[in-house]
Amino acid sequence: MSTLRMTGDLRRQLILSAAKRCFARHGFSGTTTKSVAAAASISEGLLFKHFPTKSALYAEILAEACEADPALHRLLKLEPSTETLVVMIREMVRHFQHVAETPDQQEAQRLRLMIGSHLDDGEFARLCYEKIGDLIGGIFAASVERAVAAGDATQIGCESLSLFWFAHHTVLMATLSRLPSVPCLAYGNPANLERQLCEFILRGIGLKETAIASHLDRELSRDPEHVNAESA
């Protein structure tokens, strides 16, 4: 039985490797399950046994990329706490702020695909949210609970994970306005925007002003670029 499982796992990895090459070469819309199957030297029917749709295949590739991200690994190793909550929000804001600046534009393309999915059947977006929630939902919820228990936050609602999605969607929408070559909306100084977004979200998920001032100032002070930008 273990040999069969290993064979299945190996086949899955071969499919993912072939799909990465296809997506890199042709993009999401230009890649078909038929072309991925051909690149993996398997039938399309066998491909569907592992990945029922192209969106499921692409979402798995994104999940693998997230799991291999050193920054995410550092976050996942942190103990749940008020400070961890602030670090998570700051890292989320920073990641989205720089989406449009990456040279290969892959993150921007993925974001456009995500938004397009919301306007279509939603399949790709649902898969991505599921992967994201599985990866970091637990530590976020635990950190909210610790912050409330420590008196650093007020309990907002009964679903901590919903607070994470509120935060995620806030940053997502702010980022969308900056995706075009000419931004739809100018928020002003990037360093000020980072602080404002962090403060807005942290207040929204229940953190008290004293906790925000203490932990956010400490977190931002660790970034020399941020300090220089604010003092410019």
Side-chain angles (χ1 to χ4, degrees), residues 9-23 36 40 42 47 50-51 56-62 64:
D9 290 342
L10 178 59
R11 179 71 69 187
R12 186 180 179 88
Q13 287 305 313
L14 290 173
I15 293 171
L16 287 171
S17 294
K20 289 174 188 176
R21 295 194 300 271
C22 292
F23 285 127
V36 173
I42 61 172
L47 171 66
H50 292 275
F51 301 98
L57 183 56
Y58 195 67
E60 185 66 22
I61 290 172
L62 292 186
E64 276 197 348

Side-chain angles (χ1 to χ4, degrees), residues 9 15 45 66 79 127 132 143-144 154 168 171 194 207 219:
D9 290 342
I15 293 171
C66 287
E79 288 293 323
L127 288 166
I132 295 168
S143 292
V144 170
T154 302
H168 183 275
V171 186
E194 181 177 343
L207 230 63
E219 179 63 18

Side-chain angles (χ1 to χ4, degrees), residues 29-219:
S29 59
T31 298
T32 64
T33 51
K34 186 175 182 179
S35 66
V36 173
S41 300
I42 61 172
S43 68
E44 199 171 7
L46 182 54
L47 171 66
F48 289 143
K49 287 184 179 180
H50 292 275
F51 301 98
T53 64
K54 183 172 71 169
S55 290
L57 183 56
Y58 195 67
E60 185 66 22
I61 290 172
L62 292 186
E64 276 197 348
C66 287
E67 290 169 357
D69 184 354
L72 179 59
H73 279 284
R74 286 194 296 272
L75 282 178
L76 296 179
K77 288 178 180 177
L78 296 175
E79 288 293 323
S81 65
T82 303
E83 182 177 8
T84 295
L85 190 60
V86 174
V87 171
M88 291 182 72
I89 294 302
R90 193 278 173 102
E91 289 298 320
M92 181 194 298
V93 168
R94 170 178 264 192
H95 171 78
F96 275 97
Q97 267 203 295
H98 295 289
V99 159
E101 300 170 11
T102 55
D104 57 11
Q105 288 292 295
Q106 284 190 5
E107 286 297 320
Q109 290 168 13
R110 290 168 185 166
L111 192 55
R112 289 187 174 95
L113 179 59
M114 185 83 160
I115 297 305
S117 178
H118 283 80
L119 301 175
D120 192 10
D121 61 8
E123 180 188 11
F124 178 72
R126 282 192 295 272
L127 288 166
C128 284
Y129 288 142
E130 181 181 343
K131 297 290 183 182
I132 295 168
D134 288 344
L135 281 171
I136 59 179
I139 188 172
F140 179 88
S143 292
V144 170
E145 291 176 8
R146 292 286 180 87
V148 171
D152 292 330
T154 302
Q155 183 72 47
I156 305 292
C158 57
E159 295 289 340
S160 295
L161 194 55
S162 292
L163 299 178
F164 173 78
W165 294 125
F166 296 155
H168 183 275
H169 297 156
T170 297
V171 186
L172 179 66
M173 292 308 298
T175 303
L176 281 180
S177 69
R178 303 173 64 205
L179 274 186
S181 55
V182 178
C184 306
L185 180 65
Y187 279 101
N189 184 285
N192 290 338
L193 174 59
E194 181 177 343
R195 175 182 284 279
Q196 287 177 317
L197 274 172
C198 288
E199 290 178 343
F200 181 80
I201 292 169
L202 290 169
R203 291 185 185 115
I205 63 178
L207 230 63
K208 296 179 180 178
E209 292 297 328
T210 52
I212 294 174
S214 172
H215 293 288
L216 185 58
D217 281 344
R218 187 184 310 131
E219 179 63 18

